[in-house]
Every structure is written in structure tokens, then in C-alpha cells.
Amino acid sequence: MELGIGMFGDLQINANGEIQPAQQRLQEIIAEIKLMDEVGLDFYGIGEHHRPDYAVSSPEIILAAAATVTKNIKLGSAVSVLSSSDPVKLYQSFATIDLISNGRAELMAGRGSFIESFPLFGYNLQDYDALYEEKLDLLLKINASSKINWKGKFRPELNNQEILPRAVNDNLKIWVAIGGTPESVERAGRLGLPVMFAIIGGQPIQFKPLFDYYKKVYQAYGHDMNKFEVGVHMHSLFGEDTSEIADYYYPLYSAQMNRIGRTRGWAPYQRNQFDAGMSKDGALIIGDANQAIDKILALQETFGLTRFSAHMDVGGPSHAAMMKAIEIYGTRIAPAVRKALQP
């Protein structure tokens, strides 16, 4: 099982509502990725957002910068909002990162958790499903062949067009991110694409039927089980002491949940929800190394994971807290999990 970190590029927001400068956060992110590589984590993913509380609108720029200061860690998006992107340009950007990084680039396609990119790039939300379906089809065709003949509804057709540059070994690793709809699970299984499930609330065990369905569809379409990959993306933060990290993190985490919740009609986030999430059966991987090890191993046993992604910047923890969490993850949690999973 690969162990890594996902981020959305949350900006730190103080009690007065003042937002951290994006320039500062971007530089912190590069330093954090560099440390992830140094402590031996397997992969890093960064999301795409077009909002004032996030620093990153273009994952590929961050990943290209990170490629120059890292040696081994895989570098991907988490996610690229495929519905409002041009698959041609997206493939070219990630193929370029792949060449710069000697084959470490990955593209994770998704619909995104916000809708700002649709009006920003001139797309109609009424086409939400059709856009994703068509653009995923084109992206996969580009990955399979350098010369493309293609016609769709939402972009000009391609007539014997050559898409360059090509990724290392002429193959870019493409994941799909899924929030929990059976239709998305069926599509991923049918296409044989690796899947990252976002489990950001409730109890992870509730997702078991979707994992089972994905595996069933994947096998039914004759895909090679030796290439079967499935992961989870879960809100996480690690510290020396579980109580201390929880008390530090709750105000930041709840503030972010409430910022998002106000636009979605959620009730105010409460400490009892946070504590339930931190419990043995909850979806928050927040605490000391031992607690994290136990929960990650339990998730692997339940779901047969090949990848665990700790989403570690929700609400904008300080750079110091992030660096400490990365150090604990790489030097204590990851080695213990790997040792426990050795055959």
C-alpha cells in the first residue's frame, strides 16, 4: 500500500478573517513536498480550486515546481477538474511534468467539490454530467494514442491531430476521484481506471458496498487484477499527543467546515462530530502516530487498499504543524504500516 498526502492548498485565515497571502502559502507547500520526499512518502496530490480560501488554481504549476526539488515521490493532482478543463492541454501539461520528473507524474480526474470553475471557463452547470463523460473519453483516447481523430459536443473536433509531448513510456497514469455515486463507480470499473474514494465524514465502513461494486465491475470487464488499484482520501493531521493535536486542530477544522457549510446549508460543525470522527470507527485520521497506524491498517484490511492519502491541510494548519505532521508520517507511521503489511 502506497502512503502519501493530498492537499487543497488551504490558506490560513486568522480570527479577524484576514487571509494568508497566496505567495507565502505556495512557498510553504513546496517546502512541505520537499520534506515528504526526504522522509520517504510515496506520493503527493494537490487540488484545483478557484476560491479566495485556497492558494492553488493550477495543480500542474505546483507539481512542475515540486519536480525540481524532489527525487522519488510521485506527483499528481487531487483533483484536476476535468469537466471545465481542456483534455488536450491537461494531457500536455501533465506529460510535461512527467518528463521533467522522470516519470513521476499522475493525473487524477474528477468533477471537483466546488462549481466556480464552470462559469469561470464558460461552461454550463446543466451539462455537468455530459461534460465529464465526454472529456474523460477524450483524455483516455489521447493517453492511448498520439494521433487523434475525435468529435464531441463541447470542444472543436480533432482531425488527425498529434498531441505532444508524450508522457514517459507514452503512458500517463490517470486516476479518477469518486465521492460516492454508483454511476461513477461503475464507469471507473468498466474503464479499468484506478479509483480514489473521498471519505470525509461518517463512518468509512459505509463505503464498503461501493468498494465491492467497483471490484466486481472491474473484474466483470476482464481487467487485470494485478493492475487493480484503489485508495482512500481522508482528512488527517498527526502530532505527538492526540489530545493536544485535537485541541489545536478543532478550531481550524470546524471554521473551514462552517465556511463551506454556510453555502451548502449544513448545520454548524460541533466538537462532538469532530471527536466522533477521531474515534476508532470514524473518518478522521487525527492523532498521534500509534492511533494513525491502527486506523490506516484497519482501513487497509477492510477495503483492500493499494493507496492511502492523508488530506492534511483542511482549514489551514500552520506550516510548522504541517512540517511536524509530515515528519511523523514519514518517519514513524509509514515505516510501521509498511512493516505490518509485509507478507
Side-chain angles (χ1 to χ4, degrees):
M1 180 171 61
E2 293 181 309
L3 299 162
I5 290 173
M7 292 184 185
F8 280 2
D10 291 46
L11 291 162
Q12 293 149 28
I13 302 175
N14 68 21
N16 297 322
E18 297 167 334
I19 301 177
Q20 175 189 27
Q23 180 180 11
Q24 179 187 2
R25 183 66 197 125
L26 292 173
Q27 292 172 353
E28 291 175 353
I29 288 172
I30 296 301
E32 289 161 10
I33 303 169
K34 187 171 184 289
L35 179 60
M36 293 174 210
D37 188 52
E38 290 169 354
V39 298
L41 293 176
D42 296 309
F43 68 90
Y44 171 76
I46 180 67
E48 172 193 345
H49 294 88
H50 306 271
R51 296 166 53 88
D53 45 348
Y54 296 105
V56 180
S57 62
S58 180
E60 47 268 49
I61 301 296
I62 295 294
L63 300 174
T68 67
V69 297
T70 57
K71 296 179 180 179
N72 300 306
I73 194 168
K74 295 177 182 179
L75 301 166
S77 52
V79 302
S80 295
V81 184
L82 182 59
S83 307
S84 56
S85 300
D86 177 10
V88 174
K89 186 60 178 172
L90 201 60
Y91 176 86
Q92 290 177 318
S93 295
F94 278 83
T96 301
I97 300 165
D98 206 42
L99 297 172
I100 294 170
S101 65
N102 293 315
R104 293 186 281 131
E106 302 180 338
L107 195 164
M108 186 177 295
R111 302 167 187 268
S113 54
F114 298 98
I115 60 173
E116 286 83 3
S117 64
F118 286 82
L120 185 63
F121 297 115
Y123 292 101
N124 192 327
L125 270 174
Q126 292 181 337
D127 299 321
Y128 186 83
D129 292 319
L131 279 164
Y132 184 76
E133 188 88 37
E134 178 177 297
K135 292 190 175 196
L136 182 60
D137 172 70
L138 177 54
L139 179 64
L140 295 178
K141 283 182 166 61
I142 293 169
N143 198 32
S145 176
S146 62
K147 285 201 173 181
I148 296 291
N149 288 287
W150 179 90
K151 186 175 183 179
K153 179 181 178 182
F154 298 105
R155 83 172 312 282
E157 65 182 288
L158 297 165
N159 295 306
N160 203 33
Q161 290 289 142
E162 191 168 15
I163 312 299
L164 299 169
R166 304 302 295 175
V168 174
N169 299 321
D170 202 19
N171 182 65
L172 179 66
K173 183 68 170 288
I174 297 175
W175 287 72
V176 292
I178 292 177
T181 63
E183 295 79 10
S184 296
V185 173
E186 190 279 334
R187 182 195 296 113
R190 170 168 41 89
L191 297 172
L193 295 171
V195 163
M196 181 67 71
F197 284 93
I199 302 180
I200 56 174
Q203 295 184 333
I205 193 64
Q206 295 168 314
F207 279 72
K208 187 68 163 62
L210 289 175
F211 279 82
D212 293 342
Y213 182 45
Y214 170 62
K215 187 174 183 179
K216 179 180 178 181
V217 174
Y218 187 96
Q219 291 176 309
Y221 279 87
H223 299 297
D224 185 357
M225 283 304 295
N226 290 320
K227 297 179 180 178
F228 182 81
E229 294 183 82
V230 62
V232 292
H233 164 103
M234 298 172 68
H235 293 171
S236 310
L237 194 66
F238 314 123
E240 294 288 356
D241 179 87
T242 294
S243 295
E244 287 181 7
I245 195 69
D247 289 342
Y248 163 75
Y249 194 32
Y250 171 72
L252 301 173
Y253 188 87
S254 60
Q256 178 68 338
M257 291 298 103
N258 288 333
R259 277 191 291 271
I260 297 170
R262 278 192 290 272
T263 66
R264 300 183 179 182
W266 298 350
Y269 191 81
Q270 304 292 335
R271 180 64 191 250
N272 63 343
Q273 292 174 262
F274 186 75
D275 292 341
M278 287 180 57
S279 70
K280 179 175 175 289
D281 299 319
L284 297 178
I285 317 295
I286 296 169
D288 64 20
N290 289 333
Q291 183 161 320
I293 292 162
D294 290 344
K295 290 189 79 168
I296 293 169
L297 287 172
L299 289 164
Q300 200 283 333
E301 183 176 359
T302 299
F303 298 121
L305 301 178
T306 63
R307 177 172 282 199
F308 172 79
S309 177
H311 182 179
M312 261 179 29
D313 65 344
V314 180
S318 71
H319 180 50
M322 290 290 294
M323 294 291 273
K324 183 63 178 178
I326 293 163
E327 178 192 349
I328 291 171
Y329 192 12
T331 62
R332 299 188 220 170
I333 298 169
V337 170
R338 290 168 183 150
K339 183 177 180 181
L341 294 177
Q342 284 179 350

